[in-house]
Amino acid sequence: MTDVETGLRDRLVDVGVDLVAREGAQALTLREIARRAGVSHGAPRRHFPTHLELLSAIARRGFGELAARTAARGGQGPARARLTELALAYLEFALDNRGMYELMFRHDVLESGHLRLRDTSLPLFERLVELTGAARPGVDARTVAGALWANLHGIAQLWSWGSLQLATGAADFTPLVRAALDAHLGPEDA
Amino acid sequence: MTDVETGLRDRLVDVGVDLVAREGAQALTLREIARRAGVSHGAPRRHFPTHLELLSAIARRGFGELAARTAARGGQGPARARLTELALAYLEFALDNRGMYELMFRHDVLESGHLRLRDTSLPLFERLVELTGAARPGVDARTVAGALWANLHGIAQLWSWGSLQLATGAADFTPLVRAALDAHLGPEDA
DNA sequence: GCCCACCGGTAGACACTGTCTACGCACCCT
DNA sequence: AGGGTGCGTAGACAGTGTCTACCGGTGGGC
């Protein structure tokens, strides 16, 4: 009735997205996904030759939503303000969807050829490069953007793991994000 | 004869360290470690009640060597230069020992209580805080050090995964590390 | 209109994993 | 000498991913 008519391929990914949000990345068993989709454990093989490819398809959903979230925010205004919004949106996504974010950056589990992150991840980075160049002209925007991206990723990972709270004693990650932005782009009101 | 007399507990960790360097983190099967140690698959249980605890013991070796490597470098000189050496040593460790580094930051696999990283990781961070305060007085050294650490970690991870090469087109990670250091600490010759 | 091929799901086997339990051997202590 | 305990063995169990044989329906070609 509702969406029973959707193909099994999409349904498996739906189930996976739901499952990783609900129980974490280690719950994404092939057989468990099949179980929750109401099919036998051999069925997914018709659509995803291997477990890794199913996980990659689930992760690609994550990259898509990350792109959508960061695109929705930081629409206009000066480049520096848009970068702040983008960075905060990135961090919030990572911490609202820890399981998915963890899955997205488990390169041992995502044969990077399968998930074509060039389609979703690279455009996002290009936007970062563009905004960086606008906010801080006169430097190698590509390198600075790379360092900034790495910084956001590191904060997301270490914060999610709890290390940064332990090491710095902070209770909120926004000061860290602002410190990173100030460092790479210069102080906000400059 | 050689070191046959070492206890099984240490031998298991030895085998694990060797195995993760040789074949990566996913090869650290409990049974495979036992096999290579020449004991039955049930033997490790006498020393490590669970697989996670054995992995944590192996990872702790990694934290120890990371601390040793970063301590060996950056011995003296101005704080800024020592920080550069420390950062490069950190990155080189991460990229020379990808399997180990990956293991060290797999929080799903390291019940963080077991590996007492307070003993090895926090002192390293404290040294980072101290040097940061010396290199860049007048700011919240703890926050800046946290952001810098996250930046190094992010570079290590994304570089090891290949994303930064793809996104920035760089072939060497030192420009990125220097960009991060310049960003958080100010330009070197200041 | 029939037959046949094929798409897609089922069911069972296989090797492998981590954990648990029963067993046994050797050693040490009194 | 005897009993207990530390430590490794061996087998069972549930669970995993992959592979293979099977098979029901559906659609196209003649």
Side-chain angles (χ1 to χ4, degrees):
Chain A
M1 305 304 178
T2 60
D3 51 0
V4 187
E5 287 298 349
T6 62
L8 178 55
R9 181 185 174 96
D10 289 338
R11 212 166 72 230
L12 288 170
V13 179
D14 290 341
V15 167
V17 170
D18 184 69
L19 187 55
V20 73
R22 207 181 290 278
E23 308 195 8
Q26 85 291 344
L28 288 180
T29 299
L30 180 69
R31 287 170 118 104
E32 180 63 23
I33 295 175
R35 231 170 275 138
R36 303 214 178 193
V39 292
S40 74
H41 67 274
R45 185 154 230 273
R46 297 290 163 198
H47 306 275
F48 303 97
T50 180
H51 186 205
L52 292 190
E53 301 204 34
L54 174 53
L55 292 183
S56 298
I58 296 169
R60 190 162 40 228
R61 283 275 185 88
F63 281 108
E65 208 205 308
L66 172 59
R69 275 233 223 171
T70 54
R73 290 240 245 140
Q76 48 194 2
R80 181 59 161 78
R82 292 170 66 182
L83 278 168
T84 302
E85 286 303 307
L86 192 152
L88 289 176
Y90 188 94
L91 261 290
E92 285 165 17
F93 171 84
L95 298 173
D96 286 353
N97 308 54
R98 298 188 192 222
M100 177 61 90
Y101 191 77
E102 180 191 341
L103 173 67
M104 287 163 62
F105 290 96
R106 284 274 301 273
H107 73 294
D108 60 316
V109 107
L110 268 40
E111 273 308 326
S112 52
H114 296 141
L115 97 164
R116 300 204 23 87
L117 40 70
R118 281 175 176 76
D119 305 346
T120 53
S121 203
L122 274 196
L124 199 151
F125 182 72
E126 292 305 323
R127 200 146 65 84
L128 188 62
V129 172
E130 187 188 354
L131 288 174
T132 302
R136 190 155 171 257
V139 299
D140 180 2
R142 213 159 194 80
T143 299
V144 172
L148 176 57
W149 176 32
N151 209 338
L152 296 179
H153 174 71
I155 293 173
Q157 190 120 342
L158 293 180
W159 187 270
S160 161
W161 152 278
S163 308
L164 278 175
Q165 295 94 314
L166 185 73
T168 68
D172 185 11
F173 61 84
T174 49
L176 277 163
V177 176
R178 297 198 174 273
L181 289 166
D182 289 347
H184 291 282
L185 306 172
E188 178 135 29
D189 39 0
Chain B
M1 306 300 179
T2 59
D3 51 358
V4 188
E5 286 298 349
T6 62
L8 178 55
R9 180 185 176 97
D10 289 340
R11 211 165 74 230
L12 289 170
V13 179
D14 289 342
V15 167
V17 170
D18 184 69
L19 187 56
V20 72
R22 206 180 291 276
E23 308 194 8
Q26 85 293 342
L28 288 180
T29 298
L30 181 68
R31 288 170 117 104
E32 181 63 25
I33 295 175
R35 230 169 275 140
R36 303 215 177 193
V39 292
S40 73
H41 67 273
R45 185 154 230 273
R46 297 288 166 203
H47 305 275
F48 303 97
T50 180
H51 186 206
L52 292 190
E53 300 204 34
L54 173 52
L55 292 182
S56 297
I58 296 169
R60 191 163 38 228
R61 282 273 185 90
F63 281 108
E65 208 206 308
L66 172 60
R69 275 235 223 169
T70 54
R73 291 241 245 137
Q76 48 195 1
R80 181 58 162 79
R82 292 170 67 184
L83 277 169
T84 302
E85 285 303 308
L86 192 152
L88 289 176
Y90 188 95
L91 261 289
E92 286 165 17
F93 171 84
L95 298 173
D96 286 353
N97 309 55
R98 299 188 192 223
M100 178 60 93
Y101 191 76
E102 179 191 341
L103 172 68
M104 287 162 63
F105 289 96
R106 285 273 301 271
H107 73 293
D108 61 316
V109 107
L110 266 41
E111 274 306 327
S112 53
H114 296 142
L115 94 165
R116 297 202 26 86
L117 39 72
R118 281 175 176 76
D119 306 348
T120 54
S121 201
L122 273 195
L124 199 151
F125 182 73
E126 292 305 322
R127 199 148 63 85
L128 187 62
V129 172
E130 187 187 354
L131 289 174
T132 301
R136 189 151 173 261
V139 300
D140 179 4
R142 210 154 199 86
T143 298
V144 172
L148 176 58
W149 177 33
N151 208 342
L152 296 178
H153 174 70
I155 292 173
Q157 189 120 340
L158 293 180
W159 187 270
S160 162
W161 150 280
S163 308
L164 278 175
Q165 295 93 316
L166 185 73
T168 68
D172 185 11
F173 62 84
T174 48
L176 277 163
V177 176
R178 296 196 176 275
L181 289 165
D182 289 347
H184 290 282
L185 306 170
E188 179 135 28
D189 38 1

